[in-house]
């Protein structure tokens, strides 16, 4: 830990893809890179040019404005679901705070939260969050289509896409004001389907390889970090990796980041299709409801467990 790692994530270029025109050579090439990266790292850096620079720039201004609001105001966005509203002021991770925005690709949903925070309205905030999220849902869907195709699961595509919602979580990590490295966010695996992260130029995200080494993620302004969560790991019966990751902070500057999470809807049962189960790949998890699994994950036993999913529904 702490030593300079030379490892880096695979970089995959989505900017030459025409998203509407099916199986071109470019599509097949990107698809095989996606499959390989997700098998090996569960994660990659995506070059994706469909989010206009004006939106990306406006985003960080909007995040600063949001986190500069008084704590009482931020606390107005409480949610029944854990980790969906305002999260912060945790003694274990004092640098971290975040705000979850459910259905962030739908303008009315975003604007309802905006009005909670700014009763007088803040159109720039709503528009920026909604258009940023909407553009990124395209990348989420391309990646998931490629995953299903590469595993021979095309016939489940519609069901798979219809079974999820999008949450945008926006995050701020204060600079620790020291040259020592301090924990920004505890190591974890994501619990959802696919996560797409974006950040300002302050590094901090680290992704663990299967060998236990930490890769420091250093994305460029037009790249996004794509990562597999435990629900997809279970659905593909372990064929893709769901990586441990954490945030480590140093220096004075604040790190702003966002995560677009595709999340299984409540009541949808995640069950590995027969195509991914065979003698070499016996079933890993019993069918489960993501929301009930999260219920377990946020109990004391779930938080302590080295693999909450295995403990909850491992075969
Ligand atoms: O801030 C980041 O880049 C990572 C955040 C993260 O891992 C999460 O919210 O699940
Ligand atoms: Fe995460």
């Amino acid at each position: 830990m702490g030593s300079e790692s030379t490892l880096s994530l695979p970089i995959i270029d989505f900017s030459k893809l025409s998203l509407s025109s099916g199986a071109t050579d470019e599509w097949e090439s990107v698809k095989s890179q996606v499959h390989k990266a997700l098998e090996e790292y569960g994660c990659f850096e995506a070059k994706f040019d469909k989010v206009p620079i004006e939106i990306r720039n406006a985003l960080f201004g909007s995040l600063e404005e949001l986190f500069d609001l008084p704590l009482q105001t931020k606390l107005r966005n409480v949610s029944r679901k854990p980790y969906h509203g305002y999260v912060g002021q945790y003694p274990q991770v004092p640098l971290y705070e975040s705000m979850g925005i459910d259905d962030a690709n739908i303008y009315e949903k975003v604007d309802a939260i905006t009005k909670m925070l700014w009763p007088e309205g803040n159109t720039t905030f709503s528009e920026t969050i909604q258009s940023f999220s909407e553009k990124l849902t395209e990348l989420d869907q391309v990646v998931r289509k490629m995953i299903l195709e590469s595993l021979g699961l095309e016939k489940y595509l519609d069901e798979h896409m219809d079974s999820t919602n999008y949450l945008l979580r926006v995050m701020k990590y204060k600079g620790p004001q020291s040259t020592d490295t301090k924990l920004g966010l505890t190591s974890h695996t994501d619990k959802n389907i696919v996560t797409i992260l974006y950040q300002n130029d302050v590094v901090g995200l680290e992704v663990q390889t299967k060998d236990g080494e930490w890769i420091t993620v250093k994305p460029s302004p037009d790249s996004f970090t794509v990562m597999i969560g435990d629900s997809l790991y279970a659905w593909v019966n372990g064929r893709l990796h769901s990586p441990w990751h954490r945030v480590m902070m140093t220096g004075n500057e604040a790190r702003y980041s966002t995560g677009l999470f595709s999340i299984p809807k409540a009541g949808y049962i995640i069950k590995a299709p027969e195509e991914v189960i065979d003698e070499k790949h016996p079933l890993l998890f019993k069918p489960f409801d993501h929301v009930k699994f999260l219920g377990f994950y946020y109990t004391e036993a779930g938080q302590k467990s080295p693999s909450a999913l295995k403990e909850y529904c491992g075969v």
Side-chain angles (χ1 to χ4, degrees):
M1 217 171 82
S3 65
E4 192 60 27
S5 167
T6 51
L7 286 170
S8 58
L9 288 178
I11 299 176
I12 305 179
D13 189 358
F14 287 76
S15 55
K16 291 192 211 74
L17 270 187
S18 121
L19 300 183
S20 50
S21 72
T24 57
D25 289 350
E26 185 64 20
W27 176 275
E28 295 303 317
S29 156
V30 174
K31 182 166 92 184
S32 92
Q33 295 171 57
V34 165
H35 185 239
K36 193 160 168 265
L38 294 180
E39 262 185 344
E40 186 56 30
Y41 297 93
C43 188
F44 59 84
E45 192 181 319
K47 298 254 170 229
F48 181 67
D49 62 359
K50 306 286 186 293
V51 188
I53 181 82
E54 307 81 61
I55 297 180
R56 286 184 270 133
N57 290 341
L59 180 71
F60 294 115
S62 284
L63 296 198
E64 240 175 90
E65 209 185 324
L66 167 68
F67 287 110
D68 282 348
L69 288 170
L71 179 59
Q72 272 118 310
T73 307
K74 291 184 274 195
L75 284 168
R76 284 183 201 148
N77 182 21
V78 287
S79 170
R80 277 174 297 118
K81 298 185 221 161
Y83 260 91
H84 281 241
Y86 175 79
V87 177
Q89 324 302 319
Y90 282 3
Q92 314 91 296
V93 282
L95 303 176
Y96 172 80
E97 59 181 331
S98 78
M99 182 78 84
I101 303 166
D102 271 317
D103 299 310
N105 54 320
I106 301 168
Y107 187 83
E108 291 69 34
K109 294 292 185 84
V110 179
D111 204 47
I113 292 180
T114 302
K115 294 237 166 74
M116 249 188 249
L117 301 168
W118 293 278
E120 68 284 13
N122 184 341
T123 315
T124 307
F125 184 86
S126 295
E127 284 177 358
T128 303
I129 294 292
Q130 189 276 333
S131 45
F132 177 77
S133 304
E134 187 180 85
K135 292 288 174 199
L136 275 193
T137 64
E138 281 179 33
L139 180 59
D140 169 89
Q141 287 167 19
V142 166
V143 169
R144 286 160 67 188
K145 182 158 193 260
M146 288 179 167
I147 292 171
L148 267 62
E149 283 184 14
S150 65
L151 293 168
L153 301 173
E154 298 91 323
K155 76 173 197 218
Y156 300 99
L157 189 65
D158 289 342
E159 176 188 332
H160 177 72
M161 293 300 180
D162 293 344
S163 69
T164 56
N165 290 325
Y166 291 103
L167 166 77
L168 186 77
R169 190 150 66 226
V170 300
M171 298 164 264
K172 177 184 181 181
Y173 304 80
K174 273 186 295 195
Q177 313 295 322
S178 84
T179 49
D180 296 344
T181 303
K182 295 266 159 56
L183 185 67
L185 186 63
T186 320
S187 178
H188 64 281
T189 58
D190 285 354
K191 304 293 172 260
N192 54 303
I193 298 289
V194 168
T195 304
I196 303 179
L197 297 167
Y198 190 59
Q199 62 164 82
N200 68 350
D201 57 4
V202 179
V203 297
L205 176 64
E206 299 182 357
V207 179
Q208 196 172 37
T209 66
K210 288 180 180 175
D211 299 332
E213 285 196 74
W214 289 101
I215 301 178
T216 301
V217 180
K218 294 175 182 157
S220 63
D222 63 352
S223 68
F224 299 82
T225 307
V226 178
M227 192 183 285
I228 296 299
D230 288 346
S231 291
L232 186 56
Y233 170 74
W235 189 64
V236 301
N237 198 31
R239 301 292 182 108
L240 305 174
H241 182 58
S242 156
W244 289 84
H245 56 284
R246 66 184 183 189
V247 174
M248 302 301 286
M249 291 293 299
T250 179
N252 301 332
E253 266 189 90
R255 178 170 183 271
Y256 290 93
S257 66
T258 63
L260 183 79
F261 298 82
S262 45
I263 303 184
K265 292 176 184 168
Y268 180 75
I269 302 299
I270 299 170
K271 178 176 180 290
E274 57 189 19
E275 288 85 346
V276 289
I277 306 165
D278 58 28
E279 246 165 66
K280 251 177 78 192
H281 305 90
L283 182 68
L284 295 177
F285 304 100
K286 288 173 239 160
F288 67 98
D289 178 332
H290 171 81
V291 173
K292 292 195 179 132
F293 163 54
L294 274 193
F296 168 72
Y297 179 59
Y298 289 110
T299 63
E300 206 184 322
Q303 290 291 296
K304 273 202 199 126
S305 174
S307 172
L309 187 63
K310 217 164 155 184
E311 191 155 329
Y312 182 68
C313 62
V315 172

